[in-house]
Amino acid sequence: MSYKSGNMRVTMRRLLISTLVLLLVFPSLAFSYDSQELPGNDVTPLIDGTNIFNQVHSMIQEAKKAIHLEMYEFQQISIADELIAKKKAGLEVQVLLDQSSHDMGNYLSRKGVEVKYYPPDASKINHVKLLSVDGNLSLIGGMNWGNHSPMNHDADILIKGPAANDINTIFEKDWLYSGGKSSYTTPIPLTTFGTHTISNLTTFRKTADIK
């Protein structure tokens, strides 16, 4: 095992343990679960800020139809300006932010980018870090987009294939729940891009909790 792959496994193990601890300490967070196995994906682990943010810039710059972003901490003005440029170029650009990121949300909104806050309840947080481009390429993981985030030792995963479409659908559900009216989606492709099978485990509110 290489040094980097070893670090990747340690990082992902810590993320899993942290999630399990949260669910044990705050059982009310475990509303309902949804998961399905999706084969035929290409998966690329990305470690540390340089690799992750190079990929972020590349995905945004190469987007053709839609950019969907769900982010906990977002302070990177260079990325915000790229999103604004894509919106001006005619792409659908939708951004879901945590309630703590209103400064960035206001900056994007003034420039025409669609912005919503998830969850709508300001007493809760949205700790998701998700970027989906054109419905078929997704980046998820632990890296925030704060001013100092590029210096963090963190991990993301780049996914191309059916699981990336599924991740885009997860964004769409959060977007609609937050008051968004519509969101670009694509059918899960029959074409396979790799050999990895992925299960996207998502939590969502029970119907009785949605008001």
Side-chain angles (χ1 to χ4, degrees), residues 71-144:
M71 185 58 57
Y72 173 59
E73 182 184 10
F74 186 6
Q75 299 167 336
Q76 291 280 321
I77 293 296
S78 62
I79 299 177
D81 288 340
E82 289 179 350
L83 294 174
I84 292 166
K86 283 295 185 177
K87 177 64 177 180
K88 291 180 178 178
L91 276 71
E92 176 180 281
V93 181
Q94 296 176 338
V95 177
L96 271 175
L97 296 175
D98 181 69
Q99 295 283 353
S100 62
S101 295
H102 276 273
D103 287 346
M104 177 57 76
N106 292 337
Y107 178 77
L108 291 168
S109 294
R110 288 195 300 268
K111 303 292 185 177
V113 174
E114 294 181 85
V115 177
K116 299 293 180 183
Y117 297 92
Y118 181 84
D121 184 349
S123 68
K124 298 178 174 62
I125 67 170
N126 177 17
H127 212 247
V128 173
K129 296 96 175 181
L130 179 161
L131 175 64
S132 180
V133 169
D134 296 339
N136 56 27
L137 184 65
S138 295
L139 183 70
I140 60 172
M143 183 65 80
N144 279 299

Side-chain angles (χ1 to χ4, degrees), residues 136-186:
N136 56 27
L137 184 65
S138 295
L139 183 70
I140 60 172
M143 183 65 80
N144 279 299
W145 291 6
N147 287 328
H148 302 291
S149 295
M151 295 181 288
N152 293 345
H153 178 61
D154 217 323
D156 275 3
I157 299 175
L158 179 68
I159 302 172
K160 184 176 183 181
N165 292 72
D166 190 48
I167 290 170
N168 187 64
T169 301
I170 292 169
F171 171 89
E172 180 194 22
K173 291 178 181 178
D174 290 348
W175 180 257
L176 295 176
Y177 178 70
S178 300
K181 301 304 180 184
S182 63
S183 190
Y184 175 84
T185 58
T186 60

